[in-house]
Amino acid sequence: MRAYKDLREFLSVLEQERQLLRIHDQVLPEPDMAAAACALTQIGEESPAIYFDKIAGFSSARVAMNVHGSWCNHALALGMDKDASMRDQFFEFVRRFQLYPGTLERVENAPWQEVVVDKDVNLYELLPLFRLNRGDGGYFIDKACTISRDLDDWNNDDVENVGIYRLQVKGRNRLGIQTVPQHDIAIHMAHAEERGEDLPVAIALGNEPIITLMGATPLLYDQLEYKMAAVMQGAPYRVVKTAKGLDIPWGSEYVLEGRVLCGRRETEGPFGEFPGYYSGCHKYPVIEIDRVSHRKDPVYDAVYVGRPWTEIDFLQAMTTSAPIFLQIKSTFPEVVAVNALYTHGLVVVVSTKIRYGGFAKYVGLRVLTTTHGLGYAKIVIVVDENVDPFDLKQVMWAMSVKVNPAGDIVTIPNLAENLLDPACSPGGIATKMIIDATTPVAPDVRGDYGEELDRPLGTDQWQTKLSGLVKEMRK
Amino acid sequence: MTVTSVRVAPTACPRCRSATLGVVGKSSVAGVWTIFSCSTCFYAWRSTEPEENVDPEKYPAAFRLRPEDLARLKVVPPVPRRRPSL
């Protein structure tokens, strides 16, 4: 475990580990920056973060991208060995997750208070904004933590929320915000609008890597992301309060303070979204910004979102898998692991021990009733305990030989689904499917399953020995 | 990439063709780029972007909007009813 005090410290660690690439040539804001970040995702699963500080037209902009965009960077964010496997990262994430709650360390001052702009705020000039995808309706802030409290329960820290929502810059001091009904901030907004009041919000940009992961995690409504970040980093999470009473990470680079305007909805979008499609346009809520604070020479960060896989898929990988796993396991202790890495968990693979014939389908149904399942999980593949859900070769083998569509496919029509899923019909509604790719056991006697192949005696010892010899040979 | 020179000031929004546009930002290094924004559809663009993002004639058909269609966009989330005042 490791507690990075800010984004700068994490970037320096990435650089030491040769996981940060500085671009020394001058680049254009468009199309260079998004193109470079997109290209990085094509290079492979060990892509470094990328850092631009010579951007045409900006006298002193610094922009980092792909900070979470590889398994190495993800492991380093968690303070693990950079070669840690996906599976090891999953189980470590899950282990820490169960230590909730951690504690907050409240301090008075933070570096982000160094420069304050509270008159004539112009986000187009204060932030190094740039277009990510050519059809985007404007410039989006897409990796910032938006912090809000519940006006009906203002002093309750546990219902304070830190979430990552896309924010479209729509005027010098105006933003659009995307909040779907499944998001905690949607509850805060609904309470504020029922009261006829604006909702105070703060937007923290350029953060150490753990709170960004937590902002992307579907925690329960009364779980505070800072308290989860504390157990994830193994130390109390340091925050500073704004004048309005919202907690901000000590290490943030920029802090935008403002209000979600009561009852206001305006054209927003499109934005290239996580399913690999543009979102279309909607009438979304609006935030007015009154004050911007930032560090001297602030570092801006952004996530390139494109057709999977891009950085966002690493960012949402374990943060989606772990909560689903823990929620199912509390009902069915037989569950071994959950892989919800694909397209923010629209497809989920679960491995489980089987209690009796027909059991796997109940496990699949339970996935659909988890917090994330309610709005995302659409196709659930259930595999046996000896199939690693993170190894798609094994999952495909299970699908190949253990599925008879006549009895192993369950579909449930007209369930709620995230409106960004282009397969919805109508928007926000989809049929969901469970694929039982486990071996039938009594009293389910379908199929003709004899003896499954195992491995020759001594294979494990040979594997250890040969791995060492191969490594030695390639030095 | 080299920086192209700032083009002629636009007269219509590339996306919705409205004339309701204005300058919202300028580069801190003088004269490199200008950001424009349309107050009808909220599209924003920078003068140095590829032509398909700045020229109404080259803006991709798939992303165009008609001002008369904006009122019909889906409202998300719906505005809840005000609580009765106590």
Side-chain angles (χ1 to χ4, degrees):
Chain A
M1 286 203 240
R2 176 156 180 187
Y4 297 101
K5 67 180 195 295
D6 54 17
L7 175 62
R8 297 173 191 212
E9 186 185 3
F10 186 55
L11 293 176
S12 67
V13 168
L14 290 178
E15 192 154 37
Q16 285 160 25
E17 297 281 351
R18 298 187 181 176
Q19 283 296 127
L20 177 76
L21 190 62
R22 289 178 183 269
I23 301 299
H24 299 294
D25 302 336
Q26 176 166 277
V27 298
L28 277 171
E30 299 86 11
D32 287 347
M33 293 168 70
C38 179
L40 270 181
T41 66
Q42 311 299 307
I43 288 171
E45 297 212 335
E46 294 181 2
S47 297
I50 194 166
Y51 188 85
F52 303 98
D53 58 4
K54 292 186 185 65
I55 307 165
F58 291 99
S59 47
S60 65
R62 292 162 173 74
V63 177
M65 295 183 81
N66 212 53
V67 170
H68 291 78
S70 64
W71 291 120
C72 318
N73 289 19
H74 189 275
L76 291 167
L78 293 174
M80 295 174 73
D81 183 278
K82 77 171 185 184
D83 298 325
S85 71
M86 218 190 301
R87 191 182 169 87
D88 287 350
Q89 291 189 54
F90 168 76
F91 282 110
E92 179 58 13
F93 197 94
V94 162
R95 184 190 71 77
R96 297 182 197 177
F97 206 91
Q98 293 173 94
L99 301 173
Y100 185 88
T103 55
L104 302 185
E105 180 194 350
R106 294 189 182 280
V107 294
E108 293 296 311
N109 304 107
W112 52 260
Q113 296 161 331
E114 285 167 347
V115 181
V116 176
V117 179
D118 55 7
K119 281 196 295 290
D120 303 325
V121 167
N122 187 347
L123 298 173
Y124 294 106
E125 293 179 353
L126 286 165
L127 303 173
L129 301 166
F130 56 99
R131 194 181 310 279
L132 287 163
N133 284 297
R134 64 196 188 99
D136 286 355
Y139 306 116
F140 284 78
I141 298 167
D142 70 340
K143 206 181 179 181
C145 290
T146 298
I147 298 119
S148 58
R149 284 181 177 266
D150 185 348
L151 284 170
D152 286 345
D153 199 1
W154 185 257
N155 294 316
N156 182 352
D157 290 344
D158 289 334
V159 301
E160 187 176 30
N161 185 60
V162 181
I164 298 180
Y165 309 106
R166 82 182 198 212
L167 302 157
Q168 181 182 348
V169 180
K170 293 166 66 175
R172 289 181 179 85
N173 70 331
R174 286 167 81 82
L175 301 166
I177 181 169
Q178 172 174 265
T179 60
V180 300
Q182 289 87 357
H183 291 154
D184 285 352
I185 197 175
I187 298 172
H188 293 178
M189 275 180 41
H191 290 176
E193 291 187 318
E194 286 165 7
R195 295 163 65 110
E197 297 176 42
D198 290 351
L199 178 72
V201 290
I203 295 154
L205 247 160
N207 298 299
E208 55 71 39
I210 293 277
I211 196 60
T212 307
L213 288 168
M214 296 303 97
T217 303
L219 297 181
L220 301 176
Y221 182 65
D222 61 356
Q223 289 183 318
L224 175 60
E225 286 76 5
Y226 293 130
K227 292 184 179 178
M228 189 60 89
V231 296
M232 284 281 163
Q233 67 175 21
Y237 199 85
R238 192 182 299 169
V239 294
V240 174
K241 258 197 194 328
T242 63
K244 281 266 192 282
L246 298 168
D247 293 308
I248 308 294
W250 176 91
S252 298
E253 296 281 336
Y254 296 87
V255 178
L256 284 47
E257 294 174 68
R259 295 154 289 111
V260 182
L261 303 179
C262 180
R264 184 70 63 88
R265 302 288 185 272
E266 282 175 1
T267 303
E268 193 270 5
F271 180 63
E273 268 286 0
F274 75 89
Y277 284 84
Y278 287 98
S279 64
C281 290
H282 303 86
K283 295 270 188 199
Y284 276 169
V286 179
I287 297 172
E288 203 162 78
I289 299 297
D290 307 310
R291 178 187 175 98
V292 175
S293 312
H294 63 81
R295 293 178 75 158
K296 291 194 179 98
D297 298 324
V299 182
Y300 181 89
D301 66 343
V303 48
Y304 175 72
V305 185
R307 192 172 120 181
W309 267 54
T310 66
E311 182 189 358
I312 197 167
D313 297 292
F314 290 101
L315 189 59
Q316 297 178 151
M318 298 313 166
T319 61
T320 307
S321 303
I324 294 175
F325 172 70
L326 289 166
Q327 286 171 41
I328 309 176
K329 202 169 174 64
S330 67
T331 313
F332 299 123
E334 292 84 357
V335 171
V336 177
V338 168
N339 170 352
L341 269 52
Y342 298 97
T343 322
H344 203 0
L346 293 185
V347 174
V348 178
V349 188
V350 185
S351 68
T352 180
K353 299 185 181 81
I354 300 297
R355 220 183 282 179
Y356 37 69
F359 182 75
K361 294 181 180 68
Y362 289 120
V363 173
L365 287 166
R366 179 67 186 97
V367 173
L368 302 182
T369 58
T370 58
T371 6
H372 195 76
L374 296 177
Y376 292 82
K378 182 176 61 177
I379 296 170
V380 184
I381 303 164
V382 188
V383 295
D384 286 316
E385 64 175 305
N386 63 352
V387 173
D388 179 358
F390 294 104
D391 181 347
L392 294 191
K393 294 190 190 79
Q394 294 183 38
V395 174
M396 292 307 282
W397 168 70
M399 296 260 287
S400 305
V401 297
K402 301 188 187 207
V403 175
N404 178 345
D408 286 323
I409 309 291
V410 177
T411 59
I412 306 169
N414 300 326
L415 294 182
E417 178 70 349
N418 186 298
L419 54 79
L420 295 173
D421 178 356
C424 284
S425 183
I429 292 292
T431 291
K432 299 198 174 186
M433 173 169 68
I434 296 159
I435 301 172
D436 180 352
T438 62
T439 314
V441 298
D444 183 359
V445 293
R446 294 170 305 127
D448 183 14
Y449 293 91
E451 285 302 306
E452 204 173 279
L453 282 170
D454 53 11
R455 309 193 312 164
L457 200 65
T459 300
D460 289 348
Q461 290 86 332
W462 270 102
Q463 192 172 333
T464 309
K465 179 178 173 175
L466 294 175
S467 297
L469 288 170
V470 170
K471 213 170 174 177
E472 196 62 33
M473 178 176 76
R474 290 182 178 159
K475 263 186 180 169
Chain B
M1 264 199 177
T2 53
V3 180
T4 52
S5 57
V6 177
R7 297 175 178 84
V8 179
T11 54
C13 167
R15 178 163 76 163
C16 77
R17 313 281 175 117
S18 302
T20 52
L21 52 101
V23 172
V24 288
K26 292 190 173 207
S27 52
S28 51
V29 176
V32 179
W33 45 252
T34 304
I35 298 178
F36 302 93
S37 173
C38 167
S39 58
T40 300
C41 77
F42 301 106
Y43 180 68
W45 69 101
R46 191 188 321 266
S47 54
T48 51
E49 289 197 59
E51 282 185 321
E52 65 176 352
N53 281 110
V54 302
D55 181 348
E57 296 309 314
K58 299 197 166 134
Y59 194 79
F63 303 119
R64 283 184 191 168
L65 286 180
R66 294 188 312 175
E68 57 270 32
D69 292 338
L70 300 181
R72 289 197 287 274
L73 294 174
K74 193 172 174 187
V75 173
V76 183
V79 180
R81 290 176 69 165
R82 191 75 58 87
R83 293 176 196 167
S85 43
L86 298 171

